Structures are given as structure tokens and as C-alpha cells.
Amino acid sequence: MGAMGVISAVSGDFKNRDRLMELGFTKDAEVMALHKSPAGDPVAYFIKGSVMALRKEDADNIFIKFREEY
């Protein structure tokens, strides 16, 4: 939690990939993991001035480069 990174790619089938991109999870967008729910899933992310919660199965389709990697 608290790690900042940049989205390098978004994968998945058309429906799920398009939904993620409409929410702001697009290539080169900065994203930060904020909070995990008590059960660990979903996780809240700060992206483009908003907070979005994603389930692990959706977040697994988003590939991140962390600060030290770029």
C-alpha cells in the first residue's frame, strides 16, 4: 500500500479491458494503491484524481511499472 507506479499495459477480454480503461486505468496513467478491504479484496486505488476499488481478478489485468523500474 502506498506504492506509486505507472500503468504499462491493460489486458483482458474486450469487455473488461474497455471497462478498466473507461475508469481511467490507461497506459501511462499514474496509480497508487491506497487501502485493502478487511478481507483483502477489493483494493482502493488513487488514479487521475479519483479513488477506484478493484477486485483482484480485475486488477490482475493491469500491469504496473513501479517508480524504481522507470
Side-chain angles (χ1 to χ4, degrees), residues 20-62:
L20 290 170
M21 293 175 73
E22 287 171 357
L23 291 172
F25 293 91
T26 57
K27 187 174 181 192
D28 298 326
E30 287 190 345
V31 63
M32 181 188 329
L34 295 178
H35 309 283
K36 276 187 182 181
S37 71
D41 192 30
V43 174
Y45 298 92
F46 182 76
I47 183 161
K48 296 186 177 181
S50 297
V51 176
M52 302 283 171
L54 292 181
R55 295 173 299 183
K56 182 178 178 351
E57 65 188 65
D58 293 323
D60 285 345
N61 292 310
I62 301 170

